[in-house]
Amino acid sequence: MAAPTTTVQTMNSLTDTSLKPVYANSQGMDSVSADSGTLQDYLLDFMEKEVGSDLKSLKNVGHLLEKLREENSVLEEQVLTDASSVPPKVSAALSAAEEASCSVEDLLQREALISKRLHQHLQDAEPWMDKLDQTLHKVNTIERHVKYLRCLQHIEELSVWEAIRAVDSMAALDAGLNQSGCSHLQGFLQETLHFWHKIIKDRLTTDFEKVLTQLHWPFIAPPIQTLTPTANGQEISSQLELLVSQLLALQNSDDLISQRALASCQGVPAIQPASSAPPPSQAPPLCLPIQIMLLPLSKRFRYHFYGNRQTNTLSKPEWYLTQVLMWIGNSKTFMEERIQPILDRAGATTSAMVELCRGLLSLVQEKVASDASRLLYDDALFCHLVEEVLQFEKELRGNHSFPAVLPGLLHLLLEDAILQKWLTVEKKMAVEKMDAMLSSEGAWSSQYKDISDMDELKAPDCAETFMTLLQVITERYRSLPCPSAQLKFLGLQRELVDDFRIRLTQVMKEESRCPLGARYCAILNAVNYISTILGDWGDNVFFLQLQQAAVSLGEEGVLGGLGVMEVGRLASLEGSLFEGLLALLDRLKGDMMGRLLEWTMREITEKVRPYGQDRWLSLPPQQDQSTMTLSSSACPMMLCVRDRLLNLHQVLSFSLFQLAWQGLAERLDNVLYQEVVLSNHFSEGGAAQLQFDMTRNLFPLFGHYCKRPENFFKHVKEACILLSLSVGSAILLRNLLKESMEEEARGGTAAGDPPPESALNELGVYCLAPCDVLILLNLRASWPGQ
């Protein structure tokens, strides 16, 4: 019994010292409850497990005790160290705990500081939070209002479109009732249409004007920079497109009401232009959005250029014409980049820029028509107005590409009174300028006389100024839309040319006493210059078109006096409208050239006479002379010919000089042939001397102006050939010619014999007839037996 007791005691001691750690280590528990009941239950369970009910197994208690002691020793070594040291794990745990404690204290301090700052910040931000809350509340309220208004706008847009469609349907119904005879029904429909149309149009006009104001329309001054989007640019663009589209949809009913209003005002007198271009009243109505855009510009135009304003003066039409052109130029970018795309998307076929020009033109047309009628009795101001209108039209068509099919301002100048005044003033001013240019000091000198490359025509200043005057008149009336009016100006030009020709003839008669003088030649150059220019005009497309118009219209002012054949030639473009003038000018030029050559030949002929009286029959043969020299009696003639050629070359134009030297050569050929050749007999030496004088001296004088001058002295050249023939050739040729002439006298020809012309051609004789050749051969003195 002692063993069990000892065993129990031993177990109790083990419980206190070793079982708790062993259990904790093996089972993974952190601690064992100190409760006695729990401990006893634990012990009983342990004993039951290790010993069980078999008392014989108690012998193993010693081994168990030994095992437990070993485990306890191991645990003690792990926890127990020297008295002066701390266990490593405990030390590390304590250090970590201390660091954690310090960190916790630091975090607590920081948390307290941050909490204090946060509390202070919240106190400071509380007023701002209150204000922000109020602002957010207002924003939410505004957003709700905006959504509400957008909803209202959407509803209104739907209603506007429906109203526009309804008005358009009423307009179509009104057009359908025109032939019905239901006057009361149609009257009621028209009143209803007008009522609703006015409401819708006023509403859209007001909204459209507001949008245009936001876009800075109208552009009175040139824009500083290109159009840039604003903060609400997208919204404005949407509104602009919507309003333009709605106004376009309202166009049909607006046109109908406008036409009805125009028909009720037919009693107002209107200018009926004498042109084929349609007047503004017949042009299609302006695009409705453009009509509204023109309102502020129309107000500005009427404010500045009507009434008692200083800008409204008859002497300054360029002020309002230039102003309108500036408005067109300033608005071009806006119309092309903002309005035109909307019109294209809406399916409109109109051009925004053209519509704007048409609207502004209507203002200018009214102003020009009013001013022109007030200037009919003031030539200077009237001319100034016409010039400015022509310049405006040119810039409008050129720089702003306004279509030619649409009327501008020129049709206003075709009203009968204005056109007649224009023609009268044009003629009056042209005559005054002709008087001035003919009486000026440098009238007969060429302004290009020192520039050889530009002075080919050698036109005097008066002729060049006159043709410039005619060209300026042509440029003024070229763009007129009415061919009949253009033909009136052409008639005026032909009248001026004939007047100038008569003046030249009068001056020429005064100078005809000295045809070789500088003024006489200048007049001849003037006639030739005018004739050349008119010849070029006859081939010009513009004048050819006028020629066709004159034939088709039967203009008596242009075709008067022409027969059927002449009119037919004009119709087939074989002739020109200047043929009559060209014939008169050519006649004058021929008379003057003939007088010039006659005067020149009179002087040369006097020099030829001593040469013709030379000793041609007694001159020694060529082989008896050491060298051939020019006959002394020919020197004055040669010098005179040379001087006159040089003088004519200097004072006459190129074409006239060509005629002059050729005419001079022809006349000199005849004079030499008659006065020298046919008036003398020639020895062999005389014939050689004549040939030397002609081929080596006279012909080279004309060689400066052509390659083969001898061809212009055919009689003299062929006479020299015949007179210089050898005796045998001369005898054979004379016999041949005599036999041929005898055969011709008997009425037959020798069979198989060549004609005498062939023999002459072989010798180089083409101009002289066989009878003349016989005469020349008989002038030879070197015949056998003589």
Side-chain angles (χ1 to χ4, degrees), residues 483 487 490 544-556 558-559 567 570 577:
L487 289 171
L490 178 61
L544 290 175
Q545 291 173 346
L546 282 185
Q547 182 172 319
Q548 291 288 346
V551 174
S552 60
L553 296 175
E555 283 288 335
E556 289 297 327
V558 178
L559 304 177
V567 174
L570 291 178
L577 295 174

Side-chain angles (χ1 to χ4, degrees), residues 25-287:
N25 183 62
S26 61
Q27 301 296 326
M29 299 176 59
D30 297 329
S31 63
V32 179
S33 176
D35 184 76
S36 60
T38 304
L39 181 59
Q40 290 178 359
D41 292 337
Y42 172 73
L43 292 175
L44 290 176
D45 292 338
F46 179 79
M47 292 298 296
E48 184 66 23
K49 181 179 178 182
E50 296 293 334
V51 179
S53 60
D54 187 7
L55 294 178
K56 292 182 178 182
S57 62
L58 292 175
K59 62 182 179 180
N60 297 325
V61 172
H63 296 291
L64 180 61
L65 180 60
E66 186 64 29
K67 180 181 180 181
L68 293 173
R69 285 178 178 171
E70 292 177 357
E71 293 179 355
N72 189 43
S73 297
V74 172
L75 292 174
E76 287 179 355
E77 290 178 359
Q78 293 178 355
V79 257
L80 295 178
T81 56
D82 298 338
S84 60
S85 61
V86 182
K89 291 187 176 181
V90 174
S91 177
L94 291 175
S95 299
E98 289 178 358
E99 291 178 0
S101 177
C102 292
S103 299
V104 169
E105 289 179 0
D106 185 46
L107 289 174
L108 289 174
Q109 291 177 359
R110 292 174 61 189
E111 184 273 337
L113 181 61
I114 292 174
S115 176
K116 182 179 179 181
R117 290 179 179 177
L118 179 61
H119 182 70
Q120 183 65 35
H121 179 71
L122 290 175
Q123 288 181 349
D124 295 340
E126 186 174 1
W128 294 98
M129 292 294 292
D130 294 339
K131 292 181 181 180
L132 180 60
D133 184 64
Q134 295 175 3
T135 303
L136 292 175
H137 179 72
K138 292 180 180 179
V139 169
N140 291 333
T141 303
I142 292 173
E143 286 182 349
R144 290 196 302 272
H145 290 172
V146 168
K147 292 180 180 179
Y148 188 86
L149 292 175
R150 285 178 177 174
C151 185
L152 287 178
Q153 182 182 2
H154 184 61
I155 295 172
E156 289 179 358
E157 290 174 358
L158 294 176
S159 61
V160 169
W161 277 114
E162 291 298 328
I164 291 175
R165 294 188 186 97
V167 168
D168 191 62
S169 300
M170 281 192 286
L173 181 59
D174 183 25
L177 291 175
N178 282 336
Q179 306 298 329
S180 65
C182 303
S183 58
H184 295 289
L185 177 61
Q186 190 174 8
F188 172 74
L189 177 60
Q190 291 175 358
E191 291 178 359
T192 306
L193 173 62
H194 189 274
F195 175 78
W196 288 112
H197 175 272
K198 185 178 185 304
I199 292 176
I200 297 173
K201 184 177 179 180
D202 291 345
R203 167 68 182 278
L204 294 179
T205 300
T206 302
D207 294 343
F208 190 43
E209 288 175 344
K210 291 180 180 178
V211 173
L212 291 175
T213 301
Q214 292 177 335
L215 293 173
H216 308 293
W217 178 266
F219 300 105
I220 304 303
I224 300 177
Q225 57 185 3
T226 57
L227 300 175
T228 56
T230 57
N232 58 342
Q234 186 64 36
E235 181 180 355
I236 293 177
S237 298
S238 301
Q239 294 177 0
L240 179 67
E241 181 157 4
L242 176 64
L243 290 170
V244 170
S245 302
Q246 290 176 340
L247 288 169
L248 288 174
L250 199 63
Q251 185 77 44
N252 292 334
S253 58
D254 189 76
D255 292 348
L256 181 63
I257 294 175
S258 300
Q259 290 172 4
R260 187 179 297 116
L262 182 64
S264 63
C265 299
Q266 289 298 322
V268 179
I271 294 177
Q272 298 296 330
S275 69
S276 58
S281 60
Q282 296 180 2
L286 285 175
C287 179

Side-chain angles (χ1 to χ4, degrees), residues 437-453:
M437 69 180 69
L438 288 173
S439 59
S440 64
E441 183 177 353
W444 305 108
S445 63
S446 173
Q447 56 180 326
Y448 305 113
K449 59 184 178 181
D450 298 329
I451 308 175
S452 59
D453 294 341

Side-chain angles (χ1 to χ4, degrees), residues 479-547:
S479 56
L480 290 179
C482 178
S484 61
Q486 292 176 328
L487 289 171
K488 288 183 173 61
F489 282 95
L490 178 61
L492 172 62
Q493 287 179 306
R494 299 202 311 177
E495 183 180 347
L496 292 175
V497 171
D498 195 50
D499 188 4
F500 194 74
R501 179 189 63 83
I502 294 173
R503 292 167 181 261
L504 291 178
T505 304
Q506 293 173 347
V507 179
M508 180 271 295
K509 290 180 179 179
E510 297 176 359
E511 300 294 330
S512 60
R513 290 171 294 181
C514 183
L516 298 179
R519 178 169 293 191
Y520 184 92
C521 293
I523 297 172
L524 183 56
N525 287 331
V527 174
N528 180 68
Y529 176 74
I530 296 172
S531 178
T532 302
I533 299 299
L534 291 182
D536 294 339
W537 284 7
D539 297 328
N540 186 275
V541 175
F542 172 70
F543 290 105
L544 290 175
Q545 291 173 346
L546 282 185
Q547 182 172 319

Side-chain angles (χ1 to χ4, degrees), residues 406-423:
L406 296 176
L409 296 182
L410 295 183
H411 67 279
L412 300 175
L413 302 178
L414 302 181
E415 194 269 333
D416 290 340
I418 296 177
L419 180 60
Q420 190 58 44
K421 178 64 177 180
W422 186 3
L423 289 167

Side-chain angles (χ1 to χ4, degrees), residues 555-597:
E555 283 288 335
E556 289 297 327
V558 178
L559 304 177
L562 294 179
V564 178
M565 295 295 294
E566 287 81 0
V567 174
R569 291 182 66 252
L570 291 178
S572 60
L573 300 181
E574 294 180 5
S576 75
L577 295 174
F578 303 102
E579 275 191 343
L581 292 172
L582 288 173
L584 294 174
L585 290 170
D586 288 342
R587 183 185 303 172
L588 176 59
K589 181 172 65 174
D591 293 343
M592 294 185 67
M593 182 63 71
R595 186 176 286 107
L596 176 65
L597 293 178

